[in-house]
Every structure is written in C-alpha cells, then in structure tokens.
C-alpha cells in the first residue's frame, strides 16, 4: 500500500509531531484521538454526531464484534464501515486485550488463547491467524497484531514470557496478513521494565510494520512510571512511522504524551465519563450532577462549540442527568468528545506554529487533573454500573 | 388571543377534519400527533431530531417538571421553551393524570388533590389554581384544566362525582387563567357512561374554551366502547374548536379516531414501544430483536425516510438493540415518531384530497393491530422496566 504516515512537522523543544495518516477511507491529521466504538457504535452517538464533532478515525473492538453479532454477520451486512454507517477510517484492535480483561481466559499457550465469552460463556480459541482473519473480514483500515497484555504488577519473568509470546504472535500475524489497503501495526509490550521495552521495540521495528502500538501502559501504574517507560520505548521507534499509545485518553495524558512523541490515542474515558456525568472543561472535570448547576443558565463550558453547549444550559443538562434521561448520555458524550477533538486540533496547530511547549505548559498548569481518590471512586462506580446496562462499556 | 383553530376542510364521508392550530410559537397542521416529553425531553431525542422528523407540537408534563427540577427552576432558566431548546409550540397537561396514576394520592377533596411525590415521597397539594399558575410559569402555548380522571371500572356514581368535581375545577381554572397567548382547554370526562359524557360535553362547551380535551379514555376499556363513547362526546363539541383525545397514539387508533372527528392526540406509545424494540411498519408492529432481522441488509421499513432507515440496516439496529446500546433507543424512537408524523401527514392530505375514507379503510385493512395478549405482555415488560431506568417513561 501507499505510505500510511506523513510527518508534517516536529516540535524542536519536545518530541511532539504533527502528521497525517492516509487511509483508504480518507486522511486524518495527527496527533489523533480515536473515540471507542466497542460494539460498532460509539456509545450514545450516531455517525452524524461523530462527524459533527470532528472525529477522524474511530476504534472498534474485534472481541465484541466477534461475539456479537459475529464477524460473518458484519461481513454479510457489508463490512464494518457499512454496518456502522461510518465512511471514515476505522482501526480495530486484535481482541487480545478484551480476552484478557473481560473474557474468562481459560488457557494461554504459544498457539493462542482459549477463553469463555463474557456474554454466554461459550468457549472460543483466538490465535494470531484468526485475529488477522477477523480484522480482514471487518475491513478495518488499520488492524493490530494479537498481543498478550499482562496486568500491571506481573513480575519481570512473567512479563518477559508474555513479551516473547507477543513477538512470536506478531510474526505470525504479519505472515497471515493479506488485505490490501489495510495497515497492520505491531505492538510493543514489556510492562514497566525498561529493558523489556527496549527489547520489544527493537524486535517489533525489525519486522518493519507501518505503525506501532504501545500496549500495556495506563493499567494502574503510577503516571511517572508510564511516562518514563514511554520515553524509553518511543526513543527506539522509527521517526517515519506512527506511534499509537493504546488506552490513553485523559486530557492531561494526551497533552503530556504528545510531548513524548505519540501520534495516536484511543480511550473509552471521555465517553464513559460523560455517561457518568463527568464533563471536561479547561480547568478540569466537572460533575454535571452537582447542585451548583441546577439553575445555571449558561452552557457547561462557556465558549465550547459543541452541540450541547450551543443548545442547552448547564441547568438543563443537570436536570437530564438527575432524571437519568437518555438524552443526557448523548449530550455529555458529545461535549467530552468535542472537547477532546478541539484539544487535539489545538495541540496540532501549536506544533505547526512552533508553540507547542508553551501550549502544553499553559494547559497543564490550568487543567486540574482529577485526584487519585476521585478517580478510584469513579472507577468503582463504573465497575458497579457494568452490572446494569446501558451505562457500561467494554 | 387571536383565533387558535382554523378549520380548513371537513371530510364528507366521515367526521375527519383538516385544520391549523395557530400558536405564539408557530402554526401546526391538524390532525396532529404530539410526542410526549414528560420531563422536558422526548425520551432519547434532541430538539434537532424532533424538527428533522417533522414534529409540530410537543407535550410536557406539569407533574414531572413540578417535582423535578421545579417550575421555579424552569422559569429561572427562561421558561419551558428555552429550557428544552424547543421553539415550536408546547402543550402542557395539568398534572392531574399523573397525580392519580403515578403519584401516591393521599386525599382528594373539592379543594384539590393531596399526593406524595413518586420520587422522594414529599407531600404536595395540587389545586386548580396551582395547576394554572404552574402552566403559566412554564409558558406553554396550550394549557389544560385540572381534571379528575378515575380509572376504568369505577361505577357510575363515582364517575359522576369525579365529573362534577372536574366541572367545578374547570371553572376555577378558567377564572384563574391570565397568561396572554396561552390557550386553556377544557376536558370532558364521564368515563364510559354516555349520559355523563353528554353532560360533561355540554357543561364544558358552556364555558366556551378555545379547545376541548377528551380524557378518561384508552384506560383499558374495550376499543369498541372507546369508539362509541367518543362518538357521543364529539357530537356535542363545537365545530370550530379543536378536539384533543388525550393519551391515544397507536397507528390504528389515530386513523380511526380522526374519522370520529379528533384533531389532536398525544401518547407515549410510539416512543415507549421504540425503546422496547417494537417498531412500526405499514403492516403492523415489528420486533427488532427478532432473529429474522439479524442479517437483514435493508432498512426496518423499505421506503421510510427516517434517519434510522436512511442510514442503517435492520441488521445493525437488531445488533444495537440486542447489545442494549444507547443509540438503539434513539433510532427506534426516531423511526416510530417519523412513522407517526408521516401517517398524520397522509391522513391530512387525504382529507384535503377528499379521499380520507378510502385511505382509512386501506390502512386499517393492511395494518395488523397487535393483539390483546401481545399488548398485555408488552405492558407487563414496560411496567417491569419502570423499576430500572432509563427505559421508563411516565
């Protein structure tokens, strides 16, 4: 295929880069944030909403679509783009992460992963070859190799074994991959161990993938550790390939990780937080359910150009959220994703203008990250809500 | 105020009429179906959706808004139109129906109704004067008098007592009503008793309201009984005032009741059914969760111009519904309301063309009403779902 990534400009003070991803379904600017559409829908939104808020590429989960409705059904309904009615680019993950985090993993071997469906308990065997076949049938613009992603806290030896398996699987994925116009990304693993990260980056780049995912981060490790591992890893990745930090998406992390040389991100955080009433603003997260919004005639965030802020008072959104009205989930999702898209656009523009370092410093100074306790409490609520649909997200 | 209703054409073979309602927020054609936005939002839809699917006037519930967020809050946020960001006409009910059906009624007297909130158990006293004051503060284009609406099955004497109270309350409402540009409708009660209906129609018309609601029907009585009571009632209402059959909204009832001379309808049925996966088609309701839609590449209903049918396959909608994805509720709601709006437009056009009787016969011949058992089962599911938000609707 033609070149996937064009590097447009590099920041001279940080490792930030502005570029373009060129896919069969159009080009998208980087740094890029991808909203997550696990089951073939970005929760609460229609494709028109995604276009209106400026989404470029979306992510869909192979694991979810494999279990329901089944990849063959998606194929019969015209492939994933037609299925979702989304004509922009789509990236699919390999399914590995969900097999390990959601599915009930029964046995992992060099051959593949045997797991039980979280929906009906049925047993399935995911191999690297199958992960590729499924993503080819879905018709993603970017597919990911199957990787083993152990939880944070596993020791060096467990991490090394998982990494070596990931390397072996990456080779098998590459060998099995055939679909024209679909780019296959390698994934660097190695947990929090700098030595393993270096080995993994070096091995993956030797396979010459058109882009590289960085997996196994943002899994509960301290932020400083994530950033230092990221520095080690990115330093070994080629300049001319996009770097995709998987599962990261808080505003402060996006800004900080772009500065470390990351080009692509995905995370369910903005959409999940929105459904739980946490909305982004320039100064940090706000809780729309808070009583101070009850009679607020202005928008959630003055100056925001999203549909929710242009159309409704924060008082109305507070009311919808308190009433658990379905419209609430859509509007807060729109706001959070639009906030994120505008953030990415401002990041890119500042890189082009040569002012990214100042932008980063000013943003991080003003934006108050949610403290660890609040995050833990939100996570608890979220896990609880997974028992009762439709707030949950995989 | 200037004249509310303009009668454009009457059918010569039935009692159907085509007209126009002229309000401070624009004119809408009749016969008219009003989507229900109980809590200041038509469940799962934004005002843009309502406009796109051709909604003219929407209904909001005084009871719900009174309890949450409170009428004073709505007033501070600019009144109901600004609150909902809906600049078309709005009709509010008086709150009476919900007090009797949802609230925990504690005591009813000639003075008013003492009830407990279904949300927090707090005690409130609703009088005719308060019902008017609340609706004036909301700024509805059409307000309704407070009525007592006993359940189907109450005996003649209970019905007569409730009717007489309703008459007394209507007078007090009329006396208390002041808001310019807001029309106040009387409501005919009397249950299934033709004699009471005649008395009530005659009393209400003596008060010379700009329009008349017909309450206390579609509460579980056999359909034949509803139609015969309706005939008795409508015959006594003035030609030059709109007639509003409250709480009716199935496609077959809309067509049949227009033929009996009804101009306005409201019902949560199309939206509630949609959220439960029952979608309208020319031949009757379809269950989008049915396995036969799993691999259906065509739309729910071929030829339908709604956003859902134009954009997605029935297979995709089936998938969303099975996954309890939030987008599912929005899309099926859009479809059912658009189906209903198109039905009303076709009804009106056929009245204007002088072909309504044929249209009615052809529609009712082709449209298979859901049988009583299925309806009962759907109602059961709905009542069950009221325990777990956000499917419920009041």
């Amino acid at each position: 295929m033609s070149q996937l990534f064009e590097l447009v400009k590099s920041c001279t003070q940080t490792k930030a880069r502005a570029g373009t991803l060129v896919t069969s379904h159009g080009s998208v600017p980087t740094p890029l944030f991808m909203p997550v559409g696990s089951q073939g829908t970005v929760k609460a939104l229609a494709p028109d909403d995604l276009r209106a808020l400026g989404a470029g590429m979306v992510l869909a989960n192979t694991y979810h679509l494999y279990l329901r409705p089944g990849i063959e059904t998606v194929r019969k309904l015209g492939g994933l783009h037609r299925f979702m009615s989304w004509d922009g680019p789509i990236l699919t993950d390999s399914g590995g992460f969900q097999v390990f985090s959601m599915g009930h993993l029964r046995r992992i071997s060099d051959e593949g992963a045997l797991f039980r469906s979280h929906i009906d308990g049925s047993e399935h065997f995911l191999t690297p070859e199958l992960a590729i076949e499924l993503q080819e049938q879905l018709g993603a613009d970017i597919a990911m190799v199957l990787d083993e992603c152990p939880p944070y806290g596993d020791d060096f030896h467990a991490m090394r074994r998982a990494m070596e398996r990931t390397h072996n699987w990456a080779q098998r994925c590459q060998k099995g991959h055939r679909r024209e116009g679909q780019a296959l990304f390698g994934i660097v693993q190695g947990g929090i161990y700098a030595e393993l990260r270096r080995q993994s980056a070096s091995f993956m780049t030797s396979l010459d993938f058109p882009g590289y995912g960085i997996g196994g981060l943002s899994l509960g490790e301290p932020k400083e550790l994530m950033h230092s591992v990221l520095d080690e890893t990115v330093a070994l990745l080629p300049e001319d390939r996009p770097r995709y930090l998987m599962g990261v998406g808080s505003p402060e992390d996006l800004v900080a990780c772009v500065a470390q040389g990351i080009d692509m991100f995905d995370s369910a955080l903005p959409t999940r937080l929105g459904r739980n009433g946490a909305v982004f603003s320039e100064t940090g997260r706000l809780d729309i359910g808070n009583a101070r919004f009850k009679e607020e005639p202005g928008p959630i965030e003055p100056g925001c150009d999203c549909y929710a802020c242009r159309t409704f008072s924060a008082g109305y959104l507070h009311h919808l959220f308190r009433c658990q009205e379905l419209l609430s989930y859509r509007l807060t999702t729109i706001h959070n994703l639009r906030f994120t898209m505008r953030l990415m656009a401002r990041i890119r523009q500042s890189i082009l203008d040569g002012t990214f370092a100042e932008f980063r410093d000013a943003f991080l100074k003003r934006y108050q990250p949610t403290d660890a306790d609040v995050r833990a409490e939100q996570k608890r609520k979220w896990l609880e809500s997974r028992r009762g649909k439709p707030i949950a997200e995989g």
Side-chain angles (χ1 to χ4, degrees), chain A residues 366-385:
Chain A
R366 190 164 175 213
Y367 190 89
Q368 186 69 42
T370 308
D371 72 35
D373 286 353
V374 173
R375 278 206 307 272
E377 169 65 10
Q378 282 171 342
K379 187 109 185 184
R380 191 194 59 72
K381 275 193 198 166
W382 169 59
L383 288 169
E384 206 169 79
S385 75

Side-chain angles (χ1 to χ4, degrees), chain A residues 125-138:
Chain A
F125 191 61
L126 185 62
T127 62
E129 289 76 16
L130 181 59
I132 292 302
E133 190 188 320
L134 298 174
Q135 294 180 83
E136 290 190 349
Q137 285 192 39
L138 288 172

Side-chain angles (χ1 to χ4, degrees), chain A residues 139-176:
Chain A
D141 298 277
I142 299 178
M144 303 300 294
V145 298
L146 184 65
D147 60 334
E148 183 182 347
C149 181
Y152 168 63
D154 270 19
D155 70 19
F156 183 85
H157 296 287
M159 280 295 177
R160 186 168 61 186
R161 202 167 48 240
M163 179 195 77
E164 284 165 355
R165 189 171 278 145
T166 294
H167 294 176
N168 173 262
W169 286 0
Q171 283 182 299
R172 284 163 58 190
C173 284
Q174 194 175 46
K175 195 171 161 217

Side-chain angles (χ1 to χ4, degrees), chain A residues 54-107:
Chain A
M57 189 180 308
V58 300
L59 179 142
N61 285 128
T62 302
Y63 169 86
H64 285 287
L65 295 169
Y66 166 74
L67 292 179
R68 193 169 52 185
I71 305 294
E72 180 60 14
T73 297
V74 177
R75 200 191 56 75
K76 282 187 185 161
L77 292 171
L80 188 52
H81 291 83
R82 172 72 202 103
F83 184 62
M84 297 174 62
S85 198
W86 172 253
D87 57 11
I90 299 176
L91 181 148
T92 47
D93 59 13
S94 66
F97 182 76
Q98 274 78 21
V99 163
F100 298 117
S101 66
M102 294 193 73
H104 306 279
L105 185 66
R106 304 275 293 171
R107 194 177 64 239

